[in-house]
Amino acid sequence: MSTIEFEKNLEKYAQLIAEVGVNVQKGHTVVIQVSIDQAPLARLVTAHAYKLGAAEVILQWTDDFIQKEFLTHADSDRLENVPQYRIDQTDDWVSKGASRISIVSANPDALAGVDTDRVATYQSATGKALMNLREATQANRVSWTVVAAAGKEWAAKVFPDLATSDEQVAALWKEIFKTTRIDKEDPVLAWKNHDETLANKAAELNKEQFTALHYTAPGTDLTIGLPKNHLWEGAGSFNARGEKFMANMPTEEVFTAPDANHVDGYICSTKPLSYAGTTITSMKFTFKDGKVVDFSAEEGQDVLAKLLATDEGAKHLGEVALVPDPSPISQSGIIFYNTLFDENASNHLALGSAYAFNLQGGTEMSQEELKAAGLNRSQTHVDFMVGSAAMNIDGIKADGSRVPIFRNGDWA
Ligand code: ZN
Ligand code: ZN
């Protein structure tokens, strides 16, 4: 990619993020969370958001190094107590119905070596304090999108065999542009078509109303109950104002909420998971009555233990997502060490909170009502990848009959 070509692509990407990602409309407040390394992209997104009529664009700058310093050295009371002004700030965003853009570019191992207790303490404190913002986002009351930018350390982890940092970063950008359809003549139109394809898939599954899914693969034999009136969703979603947005770009999944109390059997992960600045590999879980009763990981076992100990909901599932193995991201054969990409290359599940919109009428329900309907509640939501070319999935109907959904990693 020449510099001119790169700049043209970055411009198209910024437009896509503002126009399709959060679908900025006149009068919207837009909050962008982005690393200081990605300032050029942040500026372009800001400009496009204002061009589309945003009332205000608020930047939340992040930095891997400073975050690591904070988590390593800050007084422990600063880890445990989130100041009131941060809570007020996020409540203000929620009250304005602010759209959220998260641009992820972090080093997957940014926090390696930091005391996992301190990281878990901080995550738990922010998780509790910023609950309103999380609930508004998870119920799609506001528009939100997660997109990527090629951070240097991240690119080095994905492309260790390329000679220079510039080559690594360029290779990662190339993948980002390809998977977000920036290489297409009209990315906005390409996303409209892609959204339709996934919405049709979700509609087919909604018609079936399976009571459970049965997963089999080497190291996996798991039955996942689905709640009554669950809804499968494709790429695009609607916020409380009825405006369409795209929660993830790229996205290849259709997903729904499992019944948090009806998961039985065992399953193993098929790709590494970058969580809390650490890479966790080869995870194995055993479930009984919805709960993780046994687990292990080759690397990062203590971090996984911390994740599961976040709260009761962290030991239960909150998402089942189907992604065919022949998806473009999977076929690239690249391990991205970033959930936004790796989850779109593979069937995946999530530990933690379920999305309220995955249940009919769910966005109008209280937390207690959602829980009673079988939708897991938790401070956390972490996807992990379980799909492979060897995976079969059957849908089980109320009368016990079975319908093949996946055979050898692809739609049956
Ligand atoms: Zn997902
Ligand atoms: Zn998820």
Side-chain angles (χ1 to χ4, degrees):
M1 226 179 321
S2 65
T3 312
I4 295 173
E5 200 185 340
F6 174 73
E7 278 170 8
K8 218 174 83 191
N9 283 337
L10 203 66
E11 181 79 44
K12 280 165 88 179
Y13 191 40
Q15 184 193 348
L16 183 77
I17 293 167
E19 196 173 323
V20 176
V22 290
N23 185 11
V24 178
Q25 304 282 317
K26 201 166 171 27
H28 280 188
T29 300
V30 179
V31 179
I32 306 176
Q33 191 172 42
V34 60
S35 161
I36 52 163
D37 304 334
Q38 305 298 334
L41 176 60
R43 292 185 191 118
L44 291 173
V45 175
T46 301
H48 275 285
Y50 279 124
K51 213 191 292 177
L52 291 164
E56 184 183 14
V57 182
I58 301 163
L59 268 293
Q60 284 248 295
W61 297 104
T62 63
D63 182 68
D64 280 356
F65 177 85
I66 286 171
Q67 187 64 2
K68 185 173 184 177
E69 285 291 299
F70 171 76
L71 290 168
T72 308
H73 301 294
D75 276 1
S76 54
D77 74 298
R78 300 303 200 278
L79 298 180
E80 286 157 21
N81 299 300
V82 176
Q84 189 58 40
Y85 67 80
R86 274 196 69 200
I87 301 170
D88 293 344
Q89 180 190 46
T90 53
D91 286 348
D92 179 56
W93 297 342
V94 172
S95 74
K96 287 186 172 125
S99 303
R100 298 176 66 201
I101 298 171
S102 302
I103 301 176
V104 299
S105 60
N107 176 0
D109 299 318
L111 301 180
V114 181
D115 180 351
T116 52
D117 278 330
R118 286 175 60 88
V119 177
T121 298
Y122 177 71
Q123 284 196 326
S124 164
T126 22
K128 267 187 217 130
L130 309 185
M131 194 170 70
N132 273 348
L133 181 65
R134 191 183 59 250
E135 278 173 15
T137 309
Q138 288 201 333
N140 283 352
R141 281 199 282 280
V142 299
S143 298
W144 55 281
T145 193
V146 184
V147 294
K152 233 190 222 176
E153 289 84 5
W154 177 25
K157 174 119 181 159
V158 181
F159 298 105
D161 298 334
L162 294 180
T164 68
S165 180
D166 284 354
E167 283 171 18
Q168 293 166 337
V169 169
L172 187 51
W173 270 121
K174 197 173 157 211
E175 290 303 319
I176 292 171
F177 290 148
K178 195 161 84 187
T179 54
T180 54
R181 297 168 163 76
I182 293 302
D183 60 353
K184 297 278 189 301
E185 187 56 35
D186 183 348
V188 173
L189 179 68
W191 271 92
K192 198 170 166 271
N193 295 336
H194 181 51
D195 182 35
E196 256 171 45
T197 308
L198 292 173
N200 289 340
K201 207 77 218 174
E204 276 173 40
L205 289 162
N206 282 332
K207 255 188 264 152
E208 301 279 6
Q209 276 298 311
F210 293 117
T211 56
L213 304 176
H214 181 213
Y215 289 64
T216 49
T220 291
D221 186 345
L222 188 73
T223 302
I224 300 177
L226 298 178
K228 207 170 175 265
N229 298 325
H230 64 268
L231 288 174
W232 291 89
E233 281 248 353
S237 307
F238 291 91
N239 68 15
R241 294 187 287 241
E243 297 151 352
K244 182 132 210 190
F245 66 95
M246 209 62 68
N248 285 185
M249 293 190 295
T251 180
E252 302 290 337
E253 65 179 296
V254 290
F255 64 100
T256 192
D259 182 338
N261 304 313
H262 291 102
V263 182
D264 289 280
Y266 53 90
I267 194 156
C268 63
S269 70
T270 50
K271 284 175 190 288
L273 168 67
S274 173
Y275 170 74
T278 305
T279 304
I280 310 175
T281 61
S282 298
M283 295 180 280
K284 291 193 173 90
F285 299 98
T286 306
F287 287 86
K288 193 175 180 310
D289 299 327
K291 188 171 171 171
V292 174
V293 290
D294 195 20
F295 69 94
S296 65
E298 217 164 271
E299 284 168 64
Q301 164 122 6
D302 54 336
V303 177
L304 179 59
K306 290 271 164 24
L307 164 61
L308 290 163
T310 307
D311 54 21
E312 181 57 29
K315 300 175 209 45
H316 295 257
L317 295 181
E319 177 186 331
V320 274
L322 302 175
V323 182
D325 187 63
S327 94
I329 303 175
S330 178
Q331 289 307 304
S332 74
I334 300 166
I335 294 175
F336 286 91
Y337 300 96
N338 179 302
T339 300
L340 177 62
F341 288 82
D342 294 328
E343 74 170 343
N344 283 303
S346 170
N347 285 326
H348 59 270
L349 303 169
L351 291 165
S353 215
Y355 292 105
F357 54 79
N358 279 140
L359 189 73
Q360 246 171 57
T363 53
E364 266 82 60
M365 288 182 183
S366 68
Q367 297 302 309
E368 290 70 32
E369 288 170 321
L370 288 169
K371 197 170 176 196
L375 268 71
N376 195 23
R377 309 322 292 151
S378 171
Q379 277 178 49
T380 194
H381 175 105
V382 179
D383 294 72
F384 62 99
M385 284 56 79
V386 299
S388 70
M391 178 163 265
N392 294 331
I393 304 173
D394 280 352
I396 303 174
K397 296 222 169 191
D399 64 5
S401 63
R402 282 170 173 262
V403 180
I405 301 177
F406 263 61
R407 284 295 174 268
N408 302 316
D410 198 5
W411 295 105

